[in-house]
Amino acid sequence: MVDQINRTVISCGLDGKIKFWDFHTGKLKDEIDWSSTTAITAAQYYRSSDLVAFSCDDLAIRIIDIETKKLVRELWGCLGQISDFTFSNDGRWIVAASMDSVIRTWDLPTSHLINAFRTESPCTALAFSDTGEYLATAHADSVGINLWNNRTIFTHVPTRMIKDDEIIEATLPTSSGEGGRGLLDAAFEESEDEIEDDEDLPAQDMPSTIDTISKDLLSLSLVPKARWQTLLHLDTIKARNKPTEPPKAPEKAPFFLPPLNHSDTPTINGTSAPTQIDDNSYNKTKSRISRPPLSSTTRSHFT
């Protein structure tokens, strides 16, 4: 791996040696030798703080500062081989998965194990989202990717050291629920039941979504950060969606519309005037069958 200013290349191996190379000349600058104690299996680099974390075969994660080339942290607690580990988006945590089916989280400033949960199958790979909202994990005997919410977005998480008996059991989501029902179908059925129950309640008995401590205090929203983060750029969005020209009123149509097949129709003030039809010409053009009968004075004397 290469540091953020392309000056140093860091390499490691199963021989337990960490070597620092000059990026431009390719010469060895410095070396850390752990060959007498452990072997290095993997490494992760966090650019913002110039920290490199190494997973070792003695089930520990060691962190080196590139500038001082000194060991700054040792994280213990895994009871199986470390399959994968990663830094959090802000570099404050290290999340590691081991073959004992436990995913552990350490707080780097205090070196405390602050969270751990056990899954049904061992985690083989994991990754933190850039926004810090989700942790994605892949597990053995599974072709899916599981997403976990970051609890610190919704509530305060203490940084005290937890014990082994505080490791919780977590159930991975499945494609179908109990009794062969799909998870989506079950979710819709539950939501419909909740809506029916809410309609039966009076307005004053409706449960609130957030319990406020006091009227003088503000309550944080439970909506995910991705939903309300665009409000910070609301002025930019309004300026982008502002119309270039004000809306124009449609032109008023004339009260009398001119016919399409007569160009010599008389007009009044630019509009066509209604035409009167002559009764005599109208009777001449009508069919004999539908023509009205002759009057009694013009009838023939022959009957």
Side-chain angles (χ1 to χ4, degrees):
M1 63 190 71
V2 185
D3 64 349
Q4 60 180 347
I5 58 176
N6 295 335
R7 187 178 60 184
T8 306
V9 178
I10 304 100
S11 63
C12 60
L14 295 175
D15 56 355
K17 295 181 180 181
I18 304 171
K19 297 182 180 182
F20 300 88
W21 307 82
D22 187 271
F23 181 79
H24 300 285
T25 63
K27 295 181 179 180
L28 182 64
K29 297 169 53 178
D30 204 344
E31 180 179 307
I32 299 175
D33 191 359
W34 292 342
S35 58
S36 59
T37 58
T38 185
I40 302 172
T41 57
Q44 291 286 345
Y45 176 48
Y46 187 71
R47 294 183 177 274
S48 299
S49 58
D50 271 346
L51 295 178
V52 183
F54 301 92
S55 62
C56 306
D57 62 354
D58 59 352
L59 309 183
I61 297 176
R62 294 175 172 86
I63 297 148
I64 295 288
D65 187 359
I66 293 181
E67 291 296 328
T68 60
K69 299 177 179 58
K70 299 293 184 181
L71 179 66
V72 294
R73 289 290 186 273
E74 277 188 353
L75 307 177
W76 297 85
C78 294
L79 301 179
Q81 182 182 0
I82 300 172
S83 56
D84 196 10
F85 67 101
T86 183
F87 282 93
S88 61
N89 65 313
D90 55 359
R92 185 180 179 88
W93 300 340
I94 281 187
V95 184
S98 55
M99 299 308 294
D100 58 350
S101 302
V102 178
I103 299 176
R104 295 174 173 86
T105 304
W106 287 271
D107 183 64
L108 285 182
T110 61
S111 299
H112 289 172
L113 179 65
I114 60 175
N115 187 32
F117 60 93
R118 190 185 307 276
T119 57
E120 297 176 354
S121 59
C123 176
T124 57
L126 52 82
F128 229 103
S129 65
D130 294 336
T131 59
E133 296 180 64
Y134 304 103
L135 175 70
T137 60
H139 297 263
D141 302 329
S142 175
V143 295
I145 297 176
N146 301 285
L147 296 179
W148 308 84
N149 285 324
N150 189 353
R151 195 174 60 180
T152 58
I153 297 177
F154 308 101
T155 184
H156 172 69
V157 176
T159 57
R160 66 176 182 85
M161 176 77 75
I162 65 171
K163 301 178 181 179
D164 293 339
D165 56 357
E166 297 182 46
I167 298 176
I168 61 175
E169 301 286 339
T171 303
L172 299 178
T174 57
S175 58
S176 61
E178 296 180 359
R181 295 187 307 167
L183 289 179
L184 293 178
D185 297 337
F188 282 120
E189 291 178 4
E190 292 177 1
S191 61
E192 291 176 358
D193 296 339
E194 292 176 358
I195 293 174
E196 293 177 358
D197 295 339
D198 293 343
E199 291 177 351
D200 298 337
L201 293 175
Q204 61 272 14
D205 296 336
M206 292 289 289
S208 60
T209 55
I210 303 176
D211 296 331
T212 56
I213 301 175
S214 173
K215 295 181 179 179
D216 300 330
L217 299 178
L218 296 177
S219 300
L220 296 177
S221 174
L222 298 180
V223 179
K225 183 179 178 181
R227 298 285 299 276
W228 55 263
Q229 198 172 15
T230 54
L231 295 178
L232 301 176
H233 309 284
L234 187 59
D235 296 337
T236 305
I237 296 174
K238 288 183 177 180
R240 183 183 60 191
N241 297 337
K242 185 178 180 180
T244 56
E245 296 181 358
K248 297 180 180 180
E251 297 180 359
K252 294 183 179 180
F255 185 78
F256 295 104
L257 295 177
L260 299 178
N261 54 354
H262 292 81
S263 59
D264 55 349
T265 305
T267 58
I268 300 176
N269 295 330
T271 60
S272 299
T275 57
Q276 296 181 355
I277 302 175
D278 190 3
D279 292 340
N280 296 329
S281 61
Y282 176 73
N283 290 334
K284 292 179 180 179
T285 58
K286 288 187 68 176
S287 172
R288 294 182 180 181
I289 300 176
S290 60
R291 184 179 299 174
L294 298 174
S295 60
S296 56
T297 55
T298 60
R299 282 185 181 175
S300 175
H301 296 282
F302 301 96
T303 57

